[in-house]
Amino acid sequence: KNKDEENTIIDSKNVLISSVDDRLSITRDENNNIILKPNNIYISNYEIKVKISEEKEEKIINLELPFYRKISNQDEWNSISSIHNENVLLLDNIKINNSVETNKKINNLLGNGFSIDGELDIGRASLEDNLVYNILGTMQDVTIKNLNITKDDNTGVGVIKQNEGKILYSNFENIKITNSKNYTGIIAINQGWIKLNPDNQNDNINLNKIMVSGTSYVGGLIGYNESDISPVRISNIVANDIIVEGITYVGGIISRSNYKSTGIKVSNSTITGKEYVGGIIGYGTVTDSSISNSKIYASGNYVGGVGGCSTNAGQHENINVNKLQIIDNSIDESKVPVYIGGIYGSGNYFNYC
């Protein structure tokens, strides 16, 4: 099944249909083949009950048919289901405004190099919720930009509330996210993979002009990075002009992760917090990464140019820090912060740093 096809034809002269998933419509062509089309729900798996003419018993067949809802404007975006995780294919750059529908549940989002753009005459489109509730499959080759998201939610606030799949070679630009509670970032909670294009090593995840503020677990890209099912993977992130503000577990890219991340570059950024504060990660391990021309403001313990405190996820290798300032902004001068470092506030196993 190709993502560009509108329907699926099954050579099925000997098949009798007993019942069909109500999200599918079914007809037959002149050769008596079965034609399946989505009934305005564009998902990947459907169930039909069939009876083969040579057999006595009915069979339930689960068909993997990844139909795609094709999107070229805001009205078509608003038609995406908020119940089913649909497959979405962008056919054009999409301009959205304050009336765009939010919290869309998506399986696959294929951008084809197009953008979802909230640019308005008055500035960024202002949303009161996550643009996307979750990604289950793959999101790739899409730019999301010019958004202002403000919501107080202790379960997470971001452009994408939760990633459980893969986000590949996509861009996030000129976005501001504000949450007075926990778990805040472009992706509020990550339980999947975020990485470059496997077919082109130069296609990264790019962040530019991002502002994120929250309390605990605040990151420029990821508010909280965790999974009980399988290790989450983060690699090849390029970030410029990032402003992140929080209290504990605050990172320029990731707040906290128990898994090693690699290939992260941060420049011209400002990170502000109290404890477990890092230019790239608040608490966790990174390798093959760098930070430059940036400032970190902190008033508590465990503060570092790259990370506040490292985990035991492996040794730190090939870390580069250039033109970085760590500034104590505490009010109470009688309390002296501990575990402050140019690379890590606290950590072990460093190589080529």
Side-chain angles (χ1 to χ4, degrees), residues 61-73:
I61 300 177
N62 289 302
L63 298 177
E64 184 173 346
L65 304 171
F67 290 108
Y68 281 77
R69 182 183 292 276
K70 297 177 180 179
I71 302 294
S72 57
N73 55 55

Side-chain angles (χ1 to χ4, degrees), residues 74 82 140 274 292 295 320 329:
Q74 179 171 287
S82 294
Q140 67 182 41
K274 184 178 180 181
S292 62
K295 295 181 180 180
N320 184 276
N329 65 348

Side-chain angles (χ1 to χ4, degrees), residues 102-319:
T102 56
N103 272 328
K104 294 299 185 180
K105 294 184 176 182
I106 292 177
N107 185 35
N108 297 311
L109 173 57
L110 305 185
N112 280 335
F114 294 118
S115 67
I116 300 172
D117 186 352
E119 185 177 10
L120 301 174
D121 293 337
I122 59 173
R124 291 179 289 246
S126 295
L127 310 183
E128 296 181 354
D129 217 328
N130 317 284
L131 181 65
V132 175
Y133 184 84
N134 64 347
I135 298 287
L136 291 184
T138 298
M139 168 180 158
Q140 67 182 41
D141 199 18
V142 60
T143 296
I144 300 178
K145 58 185 180 179
N146 300 318
L147 296 178
N148 185 5
I149 299 172
T150 303
K151 185 181 182 183
D152 296 334
D153 188 342
N154 217 27
T155 65
V157 176
V159 175
I160 302 164
K161 182 168 184 175
Q162 186 165 322
N163 171 46
E164 301 173 62
K166 296 179 181 179
I167 297 180
L168 311 176
Y169 56 105
S170 293
N171 307 307
F172 300 94
E173 303 172 5
N174 194 30
I175 295 172
K176 181 179 180 181
I177 303 171
T178 305
N179 178 17
S180 67
K181 299 184 179 180
N182 300 330
Y183 309 115
T184 312
I186 294 293
I187 302 159
I189 299 172
N190 180 55
Q191 296 180 321
W193 294 56
I194 301 175
K195 60 181 184 178
L196 78 172
N197 181 355
D199 298 322
N200 186 341
Q201 299 298 305
N202 294 319
D203 287 344
N204 301 293
I205 302 292
N206 295 295
L207 309 179
N208 190 43
K209 294 184 178 180
I210 305 297
M211 300 174 64
V212 178
S213 63
T215 52
S216 295
Y217 303 108
V218 187
L221 178 61
I222 296 169
Y224 190 72
N225 191 60
E226 202 64 79
S227 175
D228 295 329
I229 302 174
S230 62
V232 293
R233 302 286 187 237
I234 300 173
S235 64
N236 298 83
I237 313 296
V238 178
N240 178 65
D241 194 3
I242 310 299
I243 298 175
V244 180
E245 297 179 355
I247 299 175
T248 58
Y249 297 110
V250 182
I253 301 299
I254 309 163
S255 68
R256 173 175 176 149
S257 176
N258 289 333
Y259 303 103
K260 182 168 64 176
S261 302
T262 186
I264 299 175
K265 298 179 181 180
V266 176
S267 60
N268 305 308
S269 298
T270 302
I271 296 90
T272 303
K274 184 178 180 181
E275 294 187 327
Y276 295 102
V277 182
I280 293 177
I281 190 167
Y283 181 96
T285 301
V286 298
T287 64
D288 300 307
S289 298
S290 66
I291 182 169
S292 62
N293 298 308
S294 298
K295 295 181 180 180
I296 298 171
Y297 295 88
S299 58
N301 306 325
Y302 299 103
V303 180
V306 172
C309 183
S310 72
T311 63
N312 295 320
Q315 66 183 12
H316 309 77
E317 296 181 317
N318 301 320
I319 303 294

